[in-house]
Amino acid sequence: MLDASFKVSGGFLLNENVCITRLTLGREKIPLLIIDNFVRDPDALIDAAGGGGFAPDGQNFYPGKRKPAPKSYARQLSGIFLSHFKAAFGLDNAVHARTLASTFAISDTPLQQLRPIQMLPHFDTCDSHQFALVHYLCGEEHGGTSFYRHRRTGFETISESRLAEYGPQLKQQAIAGQLHKNPAYINGSNDLFEQIFSVDAAMNRMIIYPSKALHSGNINPDLGLSSEPKQGRLTISSFIVVE
């Protein structure tokens, strides 16, 4: 049980009755936190996502659109992490955390418009001090997040020292596999990657994991990939650096 001293945005409050599950994944023992019932009023966040303002993000390869999350939500995530969750990642001595970005995200890119890089697991950065937070504001049917091992190298996380080996190999494999001829969202193991764990989406569930982990959303195109926040795969994606 957590205290409820953190305001998340206006009337949004951290739920003091969160349920926390800590797991370690794969051969590299990647830490993963699953936090259910994260805020008291997820519907208020969904309402905040409405009213337009979503746009493609030209800075990355997210298969959909984004808009900024409430500033106070983003600002206070780092405080919540530092106060409650840093020990789960072996960061007991950390004294500073800052939120790099926090955005509503809705996955709505049609299969025919996917780029090859969007059909594969990815990592966000090689920085070992950065963590990704995904707050699901949708139901299980929209798909959660999976973590992967690159079969050829055996890598489950990508560090600076691994990038020179991993990048060229993956590019070579993607070209040889001619992914553009059969566009699809990855949702499970294939010839290039082995799925090592999958966490379901659930309304008001937050997951936290190292940004260097290979992962991908389990996006379900059969639901129609709605761009409406109340109907589509709505999440808040955030990044925190801890030192």
Side-chain angles (χ1 to χ4, degrees):
M1 179 178 292
L2 303 179
D3 64 71
S5 60
F6 294 100
K7 290 184 177 180
V8 178
S9 174
F12 306 133
L13 295 174
L14 180 68
N15 190 342
E16 67 270 27
N17 294 315
V18 297
C19 178
I20 302 173
T21 303
R22 184 183 187 278
L23 302 171
T24 54
L25 313 181
R27 298 169 185 162
E28 298 183 29
K29 300 189 183 303
I30 302 165
L32 170 69
L33 281 187
I34 303 172
I35 308 162
D36 287 305
N37 305 315
F38 186 66
V39 297
R40 292 187 187 180
D41 190 359
D43 289 336
L45 278 173
I46 296 172
D47 289 341
F54 280 86
D57 186 348
Q59 300 301 311
N60 62 45
F61 300 103
Y62 177 73
K65 300 181 179 70
R66 298 184 185 271
K67 68 179 282 188
K71 290 183 180 179
S72 52
Y73 177 101
R75 184 171 57 248
Q76 296 186 66
L77 277 182
S78 55
I80 292 170
F81 185 99
L82 203 61
S83 298
H84 293 298
F85 305 133
K86 66 177 184 178
F89 296 96
L91 298 168
D92 302 77
N93 296 324
V95 296
H96 180 70
R98 68 183 188 277
T99 304
L100 297 181
S102 189
T103 59
F104 288 111
I106 191 159
S107 305
D108 63 356
T109 300
L111 297 180
Q112 296 75 14
Q113 296 178 21
L114 287 176
R115 301 170 64 178
I117 196 170
Q118 295 172 319
M119 306 177 207
L120 299 168
H122 66 280
F123 64 100
D124 302 310
T125 179
C126 295
D127 186 353
S128 296
H129 296 280
Q130 181 174 308
F131 296 85
L133 299 83
V134 180
H135 187 182
Y136 300 104
L137 296 171
C138 60
E140 178 182 358
E141 68 277 9
H142 289 283
T145 301
S146 288
F147 298 84
Y148 290 88
R149 176 185 302 121
H150 183 232
R151 292 185 187 275
R152 181 177 290 183
T153 61
F155 295 159
E156 299 168 352
T157 62
I158 305 301
S159 61
E160 286 286 352
S161 61
R162 290 178 169 183
L163 187 57
E165 177 182 358
Y166 175 74
Q169 288 202 40
L170 183 61
K171 182 177 181 180
Q172 180 188 57
Q173 289 179 307
I175 293 172
Q178 298 186 311
L179 298 181
H180 63 284
K181 291 187 176 181
N182 296 289
Y185 286 102
I186 187 169
N187 196 347
S189 299
N190 61 20
D191 290 343
L192 304 187
F193 291 90
E194 178 184 356
Q195 185 187 88
I196 59 174
F197 187 77
S198 185
V199 56
D200 291 334
M203 177 58 69
N204 203 21
R205 169 175 285 173
M206 168 77 81
I207 63 171
I208 307 176
Y209 54 90
S211 290
K212 65 181 181 178
L214 289 168
H215 63 280
S216 182
N218 302 331
I219 299 168
N220 183 3
D222 293 339
L223 293 180
L225 299 175
S226 174
S227 299
E228 294 296 323
K230 292 186 178 181
Q231 300 176 17
R233 187 182 186 274
L234 179 67
T235 62
I236 301 179
S237 299
S238 307
F239 298 103
I240 288 177
V241 170
V242 183
E243 298 168 325

